[in-house]
Amino acid sequence: MMAAPKKVCVVGSGNWGSAIAKIVGANAAKHDKFETTVNMWVFEETVNGRKLTEIINTDHENVKYLPGHKLPPNVFLPRVCDTIKGHIKKDAVGISLIKGVDASPEGLKLISEVIRAKLGINMTVLMGANIASEVADEKFCETTIGCKDKTLGPILKELMQTTNFRVTVVEESDVVEICGALKNIVAVGAGFCDGLGFGDNTKASVIRLGLMEMIAFAKVFCTNCPVSPSTFLESCGIADLITTCYGGRNRKIGEAFAKTGKTIEQLENELLNGQKLQGPATAIEVHQVLKQKNMVDKFPLFTAVYQICFESKPVTEFISCLQNHPEHM
């Protein structure tokens, strides 16, 4: 007897949520394993006098966050609720696509950990070199799913993979997720380089030193699971780091910060169309962990980004902070 089709819901409807909804909607319609209708939960907004939910349901396009791309007609938007906790089955599986960490009084927490605690469901993650507009344009790229349960990996891969969106599943879920957060700090530093007028050689050094710090921090933070160098060779690691350091909002704001002298908050409001910046916020959380462990000096790039963004350290000193970087970490 075949198992009942699995119901799929996308929670969130920014540019990345909408790009993934395009993939998930097409795959759910194609494979018998999934129910055809894909629901999307959205924070209601008014765009040109119409509700965003109504626009997506009627015109099948997220005109605010992913204009120019038609979403599959089987993707619908129920009204957002204050909480979704009471509406989720206990055996549901979540897949977090959020590249950041949670700022909680207990210290740095992975977003998947927060969702797991709030909803009581099994959580997995998807991270990779995936600029939303390029994914929506169906330009070839790869992504990484972190999933500790070997039985779930193939199902999630079937839901997410397309010809131009290649999925690899790895078991080191926490490492996959921490990569997605830490690379945003490095990207801010890459933006500083661009704003200060340094070339590609300098940026390559920032990327390499940033990757070293990502690996070292993962070993400090992910104490409950192995940290394999091979995971950093997946899309969630080096590929996402490179693409974010050459494109994406964290690099863009880092460059503008170095050029204009405006605050991170001002630039976020001016340049990001209502989206939030993860790099500086992650730098705060990472700095707190490093301070508690007396390891600040061992992570000069992470520390420099934090100090420049929040402690008035001159951005012109960014490169000098890296010149005595330890060769081995």
Side-chain angles (χ1 to χ4, degrees), residues 108-171:
L108 188 154
K109 278 190 176 178
L110 299 173
I111 299 292
S112 65
E113 190 185 345
V114 175
I115 297 170
R116 187 184 297 112
K118 284 186 177 177
L119 300 181
I121 62 171
N122 194 346
M123 283 300 299
T124 63
V125 298
L126 182 147
M127 306 280 151
N130 307 140
I131 292 172
S133 58
E134 294 184 14
V135 172
D137 282 335
E138 298 180 26
K139 292 174 179 169
F140 176 78
C141 68
E142 300 175 304
T143 200
T144 311
I145 289 178
C147 177
K148 294 170 186 173
D149 185 336
K150 286 182 180 176
T151 61
L152 290 175
I155 299 169
L156 296 174
K157 183 169 181 169
E158 189 172 355
L159 179 64
M160 294 293 180
Q161 181 158 276
T162 70
T163 310
N164 290 313
F165 192 66
R166 188 160 70 188
V167 176
T168 302
V169 182
V170 301
E171 287 182 46

Side-chain angles (χ1 to χ4, degrees), residues 127-129 142-145 166-170 172 175-176 179-180 207-208 211-212 214-215 218 227-242:
M127 306 280 151
E142 300 175 304
T143 200
T144 311
I145 289 178
R166 188 160 70 188
V167 176
T168 302
V169 182
V170 301
E172 292 180 6
V175 180
V176 170
C179 278
I207 292 170
R208 189 188 77 82
L211 181 62
M212 283 175 64
M214 286 169 61
I215 296 169
V227 177
S228 310
S230 60
T231 302
F232 294 89
L233 297 178
E234 297 292 348
S235 185
C236 63
I238 187 65
D240 197 10
L241 178 61
I242 291 169

Side-chain angles (χ1 to χ4, degrees), residues 73-303:
N74 55 315
V75 176
F76 285 91
L77 292 174
R79 188 188 169 113
V80 71
C81 295
D82 292 334
T83 175
I84 60 173
K85 185 172 182 177
H87 304 275
I88 294 183
K89 292 178 180 175
K90 296 289 180 209
D91 61 350
V93 177
I95 182 162
S96 173
L97 287 79
I98 301 166
K99 293 177 179 177
V101 290
D102 182 65
S104 70
E106 300 90 55
L108 188 154
K109 278 190 176 178
L110 299 173
I111 299 292
S112 65
E113 190 185 345
V114 175
I115 297 170
R116 187 184 297 112
K118 284 186 177 177
L119 300 181
I121 62 171
N122 194 346
M123 283 300 299
T124 63
V125 298
L126 182 147
M127 306 280 151
N130 307 140
I131 292 172
S133 58
E134 294 184 14
V135 172
D137 282 335
E138 298 180 26
K139 292 174 179 169
F140 176 78
C141 68
E142 300 175 304
T143 200
T144 311
I145 289 178
C147 177
K148 294 170 186 173
D149 185 336
K150 286 182 180 176
T151 61
L152 290 175
I155 299 169
L156 296 174
K157 183 169 181 169
E158 189 172 355
L159 179 64
M160 294 293 180
Q161 181 158 276
T162 70
T163 310
N164 290 313
F165 192 66
R166 188 160 70 188
V167 176
T168 302
V169 182
V170 301
E171 287 182 46
E172 292 180 6
S173 182
D174 290 356
V175 180
V176 170
E177 187 169 8
I178 201 69
C179 278
L182 296 177
K183 56 95 190 184
N184 287 323
I185 306 177
V186 186
V188 174
F192 292 162
C193 280
D194 291 339
L196 293 167
F198 291 101
D200 284 341
N201 291 345
T202 308
K203 194 188 274 195
S205 292
V206 168
I207 292 170
R208 189 188 77 82
L209 296 172
L211 181 62
M212 283 175 64
E213 292 196 15
M214 286 169 61
I215 296 169
F217 188 86
K219 288 175 179 174
V220 169
F221 181 72
C222 301
T223 52
N224 296 324
C225 71
V227 177
S228 310
S230 60
T231 302
F232 294 89
L233 297 178
E234 297 292 348
S235 185
C236 63
I238 187 65
D240 197 10
L241 178 61
I242 291 169
T243 198
T244 311
C245 286
Y246 277 92
R249 66 189 86 153
N250 289 280
R251 188 220 61 81
K252 179 181 180 180
I253 296 292
E255 180 180 18
F257 182 91
K259 283 182 172 175
T260 66
K262 292 180 180 178
T263 66
I264 293 291
E265 195 175 22
Q266 282 175 304
L267 293 167
E268 193 177 64
N269 292 333
E270 288 175 18
L271 301 176
L272 292 188
N273 188 32
Q275 294 176 309
K276 289 295 174 189
L277 196 68
Q278 305 99 329
T282 304
I284 294 174
E285 296 306 306
V286 165
H287 189 72
Q288 292 302 322
V289 172
L290 296 177
K291 223 159 86 171
Q292 286 161 9
K293 296 182 181 289
N294 290 321
M295 298 179 79
V296 169
D297 294 343
K298 294 187 176 175
F299 290 81
L301 191 152
F302 289 173
T303 301

Side-chain angles (χ1 to χ4, degrees), residues 13-85:
S13 60
N15 59 350
W16 186 213
S18 298
I20 284 295
K22 190 176 173 186
I23 288 173
V24 166
N27 280 350
K30 188 166 65 175
H31 298 298
D32 292 340
K33 201 171 282 181
F34 307 105
E35 277 194 21
T36 304
T37 297
V38 173
N39 286 328
M40 180 187 269
W41 297 70
V42 64
F43 180 79
E44 187 68 276
E45 297 179 72
T46 302
V47 181
N48 299 327
R50 294 172 71 197
K51 287 182 178 179
L52 187 56
T53 49
E54 180 205 327
I55 294 169
I56 294 174
N57 285 339
T58 308
D59 303 343
H60 304 293
E61 183 179 351
N62 188 334
V63 292
K64 180 165 183 183
Y65 296 111
L66 198 70
H69 289 281
K70 287 291 180 184
L71 297 178
N74 55 315
V75 176
F76 285 91
L77 292 174
R79 188 188 169 113
V80 71
C81 295
D82 292 334
T83 175
I84 60 173
K85 185 172 182 177

Side-chain angles (χ1 to χ4, degrees), residues 291-329:
K291 223 159 86 171
Q292 286 161 9
K293 296 182 181 289
N294 290 321
M295 298 179 79
V296 169
D297 294 343
K298 294 187 176 175
F299 290 81
L301 191 152
F302 289 173
T303 301
V305 171
Y306 168 77
Q307 290 175 337
I308 290 165
C309 289
F310 300 107
E311 292 189 345
S312 303
K313 191 180 194 78
V315 70
T316 49
E317 292 182 22
F318 178 62
I319 300 302
S320 63
C321 294
L322 306 182
Q323 285 170 339
N324 295 315
H325 201 287
E327 288 184 25
H328 304 286
M329 296 188 74

